[in-house]
Each structure stands twice: as C-alpha cells, then as structure tokens.
Amino acid sequence: MVYKALPGTKDILPPEILLWQELEEKAKAIFSSYHYQEIRTPIMEELKLFVRSVGETTDIVEKEMFSFKDRGGREVCLRPEATASCVRAYLQSNLPLSEAGVKFFYLGPMFRAERPQAGRYRQFHQMGVEVLGSTSYLVDAEVISLSIELLHAFGLKSFLLKLNSLGCFEDKKVISEKYREILFRKKEELCLLCQKRMERNVLRVLDCKEGKCKRLIAELPPTPELICKECQKHFQSLQEVLSLLKIDYRIEPHLVRGIDYYTRTVFELVSEELGAQDALAAGGRYDNLIEYLGGPSLGAVGFALGMERIILALKKSCRLNLEEKCLDIFLITLGEEAGKEGFFLMQLLRKKGISIDMDYTEKSLKAKMRRANRLKAKFVLIIGEEEIKQGNYLLREMSSGKQELLRKENITEELCKRLR
Ligand code: AMP
C-alpha cells in the first residue's frame, strides 16, 4: 500500500516549487521596501487564542479548527490564521512599539478543516502583514497598496478591490442591532443556520452563501451609512488616498469578512479568473484586538494572501513560467578512480557557486549523456580512466556540441571563465 497525503493537503513538488520560491523572493523584496520585518510564530497555539480573537460563532472556530488535547491535557490547535498569533507574539515579547508601530510580515501554512475543493485546502499557505500601533487611514492605504503591488509583481492583472467599513466597536453594535431588527421580521426566509446566527452573532449572517440569505442581505442598509461620523471620516479619507494612488475599488456595503475582530476598514482582492473561491487576499483593521488579548489599546491593520489561489489564478491566466533552472555542469565519470576524483572536484566547484551534479550510477556514457540533455546542463564534464592518465578532462558545450580538453591543474579557473 502506498500512503497518500491527507485530503485537502498536498505536496508541492518540482517544478512547481520553483514558482513558490520565485513568488516568495519577490514578496520578500517588496516587504523589505515597505520596511516590514519577518515574524515566524509556532504553527500550534493555545485553542483559546483563536476562539477569543477570531470569534466563537465564526465558521472558522465552530467548524474548521484542527484542535486537540496535547499529552499534558492542554487544548491546542493548528493555527487557522496568523493575525492572532502575531498579536500574541508581540504582547508576549514586550517588543517596543516604535513611533511608526510594529510592522510584521509572515509566510507559512495555515489549517482549516474545510471541505476540500479547487482553491480550498485544509493546509494552505498565506503570506501577510500586520501593522500594530496606528489608527491612521494611511496605514490602511499602505497595506492595501502593498497587497496590490504583490499581485502585480506576481504577474496578476485581473482582480478587483472590494472595500467596506464596519465602523468602530460601538458602530458594530449599532449595525448588529439594526440588522437583527430587520432580519427578525423575515426570520423564516433565512436558512436554518442563519436563523441561529441571527440570535448569536447577526453579522455572521452576512458570510452566508445561500441564495435566499444573500437576497435578504442585499436589502440591508449599507454599513457605511450606519457608522459614526469619525469612522465615516476615516473611511472617506482612505478612499481619497486610494484615489490619489489611482487604485480602483468597489464599495461592497455588506462585506464583513468571516472573522469577528475586524473594525472599520475591511477589504478583499478578488480574482476575475477564479470560480467560487475567488478571494486572492483579504484583510482589514482590528483596532480592539490587541486590547482584547490583554495589551494596550492600539490600532492595527493587516491582510493575508492565499498562495494556492495566486498560483491557480496564474495557471488560469497562463502566466506561468515553470522553467527549471538549468544546471551549469553535469559531471560524467567512468570507473571508480574517476568517480572519486570527479566527486572531489565537484565539491570544490560547488563552493565557487557553480551548480553541478553527477550521475552516481554505473550506467553507460550514452545513458549519462541523455540525462545531461534532460537536465538541460550547459556543459558536460567527462572524466574517464584515459583522462586521469593524461591529466586532461573533456568538456562539452551542450548547445554547440563543441568539445575541448582542459588541463586538470587549472580546471576550476577555466570552468569559472566559461560560466561567467
Ligand atoms: P482569511 O484568513 O479567511 O481572511 O483568508 C485570506 C486569504 O487566504 C483568502 O483570500 C484566500 O486567498 C486564502 N484562504 C483562506 N482559506 C483558504 C483555504 N481553505 N484554502 C486556500 N486558501 C485559503
């Protein structure tokens, strides 16, 4: 029997891994130009951290957590997202908040026990940022433009920015009250789950994908009309900056995102090329979370982008270039002595930054040459019994078929010269 990866998880293999590496490198360069520093938090956390921050009545906490008791009887879970972990790490470490606040970026796997489908996994990868310490709408503009810059750098063009404001903590209570009042009158028309949601946490009704609930949601008053003057001003100013940056957006007046901690700005970047799972990235402001998790009262904003979705969108738009990096030299040795001598040389060349590999099998020269071709090696270096005796190695340039003998004493310099 051959074991298989668990449902909703997958191996990332060559050549696709090259794309992951490329995207990660591009992202790191952009994060650095925005002055964000990397944070790596544990994949396992205390369950309560997410119950408290993401919210007890959210789908993530109610249905999607990989939680279990560890051997010491602690309730732990695999992280479903990274915002709560970043805030926890910040509070635990007593990192000083500089005037500009703390700016983190992260990359890594997240876990949600969702029903697997295209673009939806149980282990998926996010890259994201968290800015702790400011309530300025300029920071919202910064993280939104950063997320868009990432998508552009990855080669994605067809996506839409959806934007909304939920107002402050008090406003969310007002919105919830208003919505409950309206929906209560049409309770029977809601799905069974939303009837429960309406009682426990009415904003979660807005996450529902059922047609009949969606129709009722569309009739609710837009959240930006129900928020206080100060939050309206914050939202207005953000929109002005986005316009200044020539960033197009569409206001989605019922966008809440499926997590409880959001306040004021929420946004989503949706692909026009993906189907049902079309959200490439999502985020927003969470001005109460730091205090809620035991810290000072500080504004914060962040977003996360789903790597698998980015790759799917790139595949759909045919902007994928999965060319394997070609090898500088493929070494072919014939016989035991040549094997040892070649291996020694190969280790020296690797230290010089040359990419070189050899075939460790006993196959024929012809078979090894075929392998060099498949690997798209620039050069093949052949060392056989004869070459050792003569003190010459045979170098073949694969594109031209040109062959030459190189003296063993200055082989390293000669190879470096040809590869420069
Ligand atoms: P969220 O943390 O739910 O706001 O999601 C942020 C981003 O993570 C989404 O826009 C998706 O790109 C990605 N994402 C969320 N859940 C999944 C999943 N189950 N599988 C793959 N990507 C996901």
Side-chain angles (χ1 to χ4, degrees), residues 253-267:
H254 301 113
L255 180 72
V256 290
R257 306 280 318 127
I259 295 177
D260 277 354
Y261 52 61
Y262 286 126
T263 50
R264 290 191 164 172
T265 314
V266 281
F267 70 96

Side-chain angles (χ1 to χ4, degrees), residues 131-250:
V131 185
L132 312 181
S134 171
T135 54
S136 168
Y137 56 84
L138 289 176
V139 189
D140 305 44
E142 174 173 303
V143 301
I144 290 173
S145 62
L146 167 52
S147 62
I148 292 175
E149 199 169 323
L150 286 173
L151 297 192
H152 282 156
F154 297 160
L156 289 171
K157 294 193 175 74
S158 339
F159 55 84
L160 172 73
L161 169 63
K162 293 183 179 175
L163 190 67
N164 195 22
S165 175
L166 302 174
C168 54
F169 188 68
E170 291 305 316
D171 293 341
K172 281 177 78 179
K173 282 202 232 159
V174 173
I175 296 169
S176 299
E177 227 14 80
K178 183 88 191 156
Y179 283 3
R180 199 173 293 115
E181 190 189 303
I182 298 171
L183 291 174
F184 188 75
R185 282 184 250 131
K186 300 181 176 168
K187 195 174 167 186
E188 275 68 47
E189 291 172 49
L190 288 169
C191 72
L192 285 178
L193 185 59
C194 282
Q195 293 189 17
K196 279 197 210 131
R197 284 170 167 156
M198 202 191 68
E199 307 284 344
R200 298 172 67 199
N201 185 351
V202 66
L203 288 183
R204 298 283 61 93
V205 172
L206 278 72
D207 300 329
C208 190
K209 299 279 178 286
E210 293 256 350
K212 51 186 180 179
C213 299
K214 274 164 85 175
R215 275 191 294 280
L216 291 181
I217 295 164
E219 290 167 11
L220 292 170
T223 63
E225 285 177 16
L226 300 172
I227 63 182
C228 67
K229 285 269 163 316
E230 218 179 305
C231 289
Q232 275 181 356
K233 190 158 171 274
H234 191 274
F235 194 38
Q236 194 52 44
S237 305
L238 168 62
Q239 290 175 60
E240 281 161 23
V241 181
L242 292 179
S243 302
L244 196 69
L245 296 173
K246 304 227 167 355
I247 293 177
D248 292 330
Y249 59 88
R250 190 168 81 196

Side-chain angles (χ1 to χ4, degrees), residues 28 38-42 79 88-89 105-107:
K28 282 182 184 168
E38 187 173 1
I39 178 170
R40 296 187 194 186
T41 60
R79 63 182 184 192
R88 185 217 28 83
F105 81 83
Y106 59 83
L107 309 166

Side-chain angles (χ1 to χ4, degrees), residues 60 80-81 112 114 119-122 124 126 257 259 262 269 279-283 304-309:
I60 294 182
E81 58 109 56
R112 294 183 197 170
E114 299 197 80
R120 204 206 257 166
Y121 297 92
R122 292 184 168 173
F124 57 98
Q126 288 187 335
R257 306 280 318 127
I259 295 177
Y262 286 126
L269 286 164
L280 295 168
L305 170 160
M307 293 295 288
E308 285 79 2
R309 302 260 173 101

